[in-house]
Amino acid sequence: MPFSSFNSDVNGVTHMVMSMTGFGRCVKQTEKCMVQVEIKTVNHRFREFHIKMPPQLSQAEIPLRNRLSKQFNRGRVEVSVKLSGHISPSKELYIDWDLIDSYYHFIKEAKKRYQLAGEAVLSDLLRLEEAIVVSEAGDIDDDVFSLLLSAADGAACQVSKMRETEGDSLSIELDTYINSLEELVQRTKELSPLIQTTYTEKLRTKLSEMIRGKIDETRIVSEAAIFAEKADISEEMARLISHISQFREALLTSEPIGRKLDFIIQEMNREANTIGSKASDSNIAIMSVEMKVLIEKLREQVQNIE
C-alpha cells in the first residue's frame, strides 16, 4: 500500500494571515465504493488531531495525520471518514489456545470438586470472547486508498480556502485596531512632556497659598524633578511603539504567527498597565484605559489566528 504517496502540501498556497476556523467536505467514489472526508478546524492553543474512520481504514490513520500536520500548524483538527459500497475486507481468526485449555481444565476440576453432573461442551468454550477474536486483516485496497487520498486533498483544500478568507477579514480588523492603538500612543507621547510643567505650576500655586510669601524656587525645581522621574513613561512608550512595529511586521510574514502575536500582545498590555499606574494625569490615565481596551480587542482576534 503506497502510504508514501501522501504529498507534503495540498494546495501549495501560502497565506499571510490564516484563521484556525474552517470546514471542508469532499466525496470521491467509484463503481465499487464511496469515501467521504470531512475536516473541521477550530481554535486551540496547540495542534490537536481527532480522527474518526472505519476499522477497514485504520492503517491509513498515521499517514493521514502526518499529511494534515504539514497542512495545519495550529488548532484542533477534527477529521471524519465514511466508507460505503461493496467492500469485502478479509477476516482473521485469532484463538488463544492456552486460555481455552485453562478454562476447560477449570470446568473439569469444578465439576469434580463440587460433584456436578455433565461435561464441558463446545458452547461453553465459545462464550470466551477473549479467547476467540475475529478481526479484519490485510492492507487497504489500492482503489479505496486512492479515494481516501483524493477526498482528503479536496476537504483540506476547502478548509484552507475558508481559513484564508477569514484570515483576510481578521487582517482588516487587526489593522484597524493597531492603527487606533498607534494613534493613542502618539497622543499620549505628545501629552507626556506637559505633565511636569503642569505639576510645577500646581506646586508653585499650592506653596504660594500655604506660605503666602516668598517661594523657594529651588525646592519647587527639586520636587518637580522627583515627580518627573516617578511619572516618566518614555521607556514604556518606546517599548509600546516597538511592539506595534513588531506586530505589523509579523502580519506580513507567510509563517504561522498566532503564538508570536499573542506574546507581543502580552507585552503591549504590560506596558499599558505600567503607563496607567505611573500616570498622575487624568488624560493619560484615560488613554491608558483606552489602550487596554484596544489591546484586548486585538487579543480576541489573535486567538483565532494560526
Side-chain angles (χ1 to χ4, degrees), residues 161-190:
K161 289 180 179 179
M162 183 177 291
R163 284 155 63 100
E164 289 173 10
T165 300
E166 186 168 340
D168 290 338
S169 299
L170 287 172
S171 294
I172 294 173
E173 289 195 51
L174 290 174
D175 192 55
T176 300
Y177 293 145
I178 203 68
N179 287 341
S180 298
L181 179 61
E182 187 175 43
E183 290 176 5
L184 265 177
V185 172
Q186 187 60 38
R187 286 164 51 195
T188 305
K189 185 177 180 181
E190 294 171 356

Side-chain angles (χ1 to χ4, degrees), residues 242-271:
S242 175
H243 295 328
I244 292 174
S245 177
Q246 292 172 13
F247 192 94
R248 284 203 173 104
E249 289 175 2
L251 291 177
L252 298 178
T253 63
S254 59
E255 59 187 18
I257 57 173
R259 292 182 184 176
K260 182 176 182 178
L261 292 181
D262 191 54
F263 174 76
I264 293 174
I265 286 174
Q266 290 180 31
E267 295 304 305
M268 286 181 177
N269 194 61
R270 189 195 310 276
E271 304 303 338

